[in-house]
Amino acid sequence: MTPNPPRQQLGPAPNARSHLPPRLRGILSLGDLEAAARRTLPRPIFGYLQGGVEDNVTLQANTSAFRQWLFRTNVLVNVSRRDQATTLMGTAYRAPFGIAPMGLCALFAFEGDLALARAAEAAGIPFVLSGASLTPMERVAQAAPTCGWFQAYIPGEPAHIEGLVQRVTQAGFRTLVVTVDTATLANRENNVRVGFSTPLRPSLRLAWDGLIRPRWLLGTLAQTLVKNGMPHFENAGAGRGVPIISRSVVRQFGLRDHLNWEHLALIRRLWTGKLVVKGLISADDVRRAEQAGADGVILSNHGGRQLDGTAPPLRTVSEAARVKGSMALMLDSGVRRGTDVLKALALGADHVFVGRPMAYAAAVGGQAGVAHAIGLLYDEIHRDMALLGVSSLAELNDGHLIPA
């Protein structure tokens, strides 16, 4: 096992780019990572990661929602001791953002899940391992012992739930995230258009797309096959799942349309750690999750990858904050800038999660790429707090915002 790296030194560093690998020196923001990942990944893999569903209405609305708010700043404030450290569900983190769960990360970078987990652990921010990941959860729990969370896709089958919860407990995770917005497979037309499918189907087109991306072919795919063998869905249940080329993939991730509040109650009885419910949009569901004993909720529309036309979480966070009770209120979907993070916190969120940019970062630069992306966002927040006129995140409220 690779030892965990020392905690990353966060905060502005003069001439930091000169010490970066050449491929990262031109990455000045999270937005720059998308184009860099497009040049790195085969077209089907990149298309799967980038795309939403149907007409991408929600995908585009997620980012534009942040532009619908402008800041009201305060000046002549001593902000020399500003601090963005935060406590979430009893655990201290060094920044108010984390890495959202994303499936298939081991296809984006060699041992991509571990690259993300180790970078998050070094930076002191939460990392959520996806239930659709290709790396055994036990390895990831070792890589991120203090910052690792596990996210589960759970069909409405008590026996399956019991086995999975037991495995997550034994792996050492202390926070379980249950995703509840996947009652059926979404209409991901973009996957068809770019030639991506689940299960993966070998074809001349897929082979060609890989050949023209030799860095990915040798550095990710070949290295994975040599060192770890054919990737499997490792964490869908109590045991190892099916390989990514198996026709049983769809069946393994099926039966989620049976999942209901009674199953969440069962999970609450079985799971002794922190329980987070992900994929809520309405305040009514937030209230019901609090009544069911959840410790936190993540407002999310799955990054625009489920029901097209679903409202962005930022549009509903204020009303959710009014009914959350003692729960932690988090959100994902569309976060790209430090200003986005501060807007979400000002509207009532306790924490935010970033998805695609961190996967792009892993594709471009492995663990170093993810560490760079984390550092960019941390630095933006540090700078933005000074310009906004706040020294701590607790000072943020909706008085700092004006509708655009």
Side-chain angles (χ1 to χ4, degrees):
M1 182 186 75
T2 303
N4 293 321
R7 281 290 165 98
Q8 176 183 343
Q9 181 63 44
L10 297 176
N15 303 315
R17 286 196 297 276
S18 64
H19 303 291
L20 292 170
R23 62 182 176 274
L24 295 176
R25 290 175 190 168
I27 305 298
L28 307 183
S29 70
L30 298 191
D32 292 338
L33 288 161
E34 182 173 334
R38 185 190 295 272
R39 296 190 295 268
T40 301
L41 295 171
R43 181 171 177 263
I45 305 298
F46 177 79
Y48 163 79
L49 174 57
Q50 179 203 42
V53 293
E54 296 184 349
D55 298 317
N56 290 326
V57 172
T58 295
L59 181 66
Q60 295 164 11
N62 283 339
T63 52
S64 65
F66 290 95
R67 300 189 184 99
Q68 295 170 13
W69 293 98
L70 302 176
F71 287 113
R72 179 186 284 113
T73 62
N74 295 114
V75 298
L76 296 177
V77 179
N78 183 352
V79 291
S80 60
R81 299 175 65 88
R82 61 195 181 280
D83 181 15
Q84 58 181 282
T86 186
T87 299
L88 185 66
M89 296 184 294
T91 299
Y93 296 105
R94 298 174 69 193
F97 63 89
I99 300 178
M102 294 170 287
L104 307 185
C105 284
L107 289 183
F108 311 147
F110 175 65
E111 296 191 334
D113 297 301
L114 293 175
L116 290 160
R118 288 170 180 150
E121 183 75 15
I125 65 170
F127 162 72
V128 190
L129 177 67
S130 170
S133 53
L134 306 176
T135 306
M137 67 172 75
E138 291 79 7
R139 294 189 67 195
V140 177
Q142 291 175 345
T146 61
C147 295
W149 302 7
F150 181 78
Q151 174 266 326
Y153 291 112
I154 297 180
E157 298 174 305
H160 181 109
I161 291 171
E162 292 170 5
L164 180 58
V165 169
Q166 183 178 19
R167 182 182 173 193
V168 176
T169 301
Q170 292 174 344
F173 289 100
R174 292 177 289 181
T175 301
L176 174 63
V177 180
V178 178
T179 291
V180 294
D181 61 350
T182 56
T184 190
L185 297 174
N187 184 25
R188 298 185 182 176
E189 298 168 358
N190 63 287
N191 288 358
V192 178
R193 293 190 174 97
V194 299
F196 183 88
S197 63
T198 304
L200 283 177
R201 297 183 178 89
S203 66
L204 290 175
R205 178 180 178 179
L206 187 62
W208 173 252
D209 285 324
L211 286 172
I212 62 176
R213 294 290 186 270
R215 186 173 139 206
W216 175 87
L217 184 65
L218 298 176
T220 299
L221 181 60
Q223 198 172 180
T224 297
L225 293 175
V226 169
K227 295 188 176 181
N228 299 326
M230 177 60 66
H232 284 60
F233 287 99
E234 298 282 358
N235 304 311
R240 191 183 199 192
V242 298
I244 59 174
I245 60 171
S246 170
R247 294 182 180 179
S248 300
V249 169
V250 174
R251 183 170 66 252
Q252 178 171 328
F253 286 92
L255 298 178
R256 297 183 203 159
D257 55 353
H258 290 61
L259 191 67
N260 58 56
W261 290 101
E262 293 181 3
H263 296 109
L264 186 65
L266 171 61
I267 296 168
R268 178 69 284 179
R269 291 195 297 271
L270 295 170
W271 177 252
T272 58
K274 300 299 183 182
L275 178 62
V276 175
V277 184
K278 176 181 180 292
L280 298 81
I281 288 293
S282 78
D284 287 342
D285 283 344
V286 171
R287 183 186 294 108
R288 192 159 186 182
E290 196 268 341
Q291 293 169 349
D295 298 289
V297 294
I298 301 177
L299 302 180
S300 174
N301 55 37
H302 221 97
R305 295 167 72 87
Q306 282 301 107
L307 176 63
D308 203 23
T310 301
L314 192 73
R315 297 289 295 272
T316 64
V317 65
S318 294
E319 62 185 33
R322 291 193 289 269
V323 301
K324 70 170 187 172
S326 61
M327 294 189 302
L329 179 62
M330 300 159 274
L331 65 78
D332 66 17
S333 304
V335 177
R336 297 293 182 270
R337 284 284 188 182
T339 49
D340 296 343
V341 176
L342 296 180
K343 288 174 184 179
L345 299 181
L347 289 170
D350 298 307
H351 214 81
V352 306
F353 286 88
V354 183
R356 287 180 181 89
M358 296 301 175
Y360 294 148
V364 173
Q367 183 178 334
V370 181
H372 181 52
I374 293 170
L376 287 172
L377 193 56
Y378 183 95
D379 290 353
E380 287 184 3
I381 295 171
H382 187 73
R383 183 183 306 112
D384 297 338
M385 289 176 68
L387 297 174
L388 188 57
V390 298
S391 293
S392 73
L393 302 177
E395 296 175 38
L396 292 168
N397 57 60
D398 58 6
H400 289 103
L401 299 176
I402 304 171

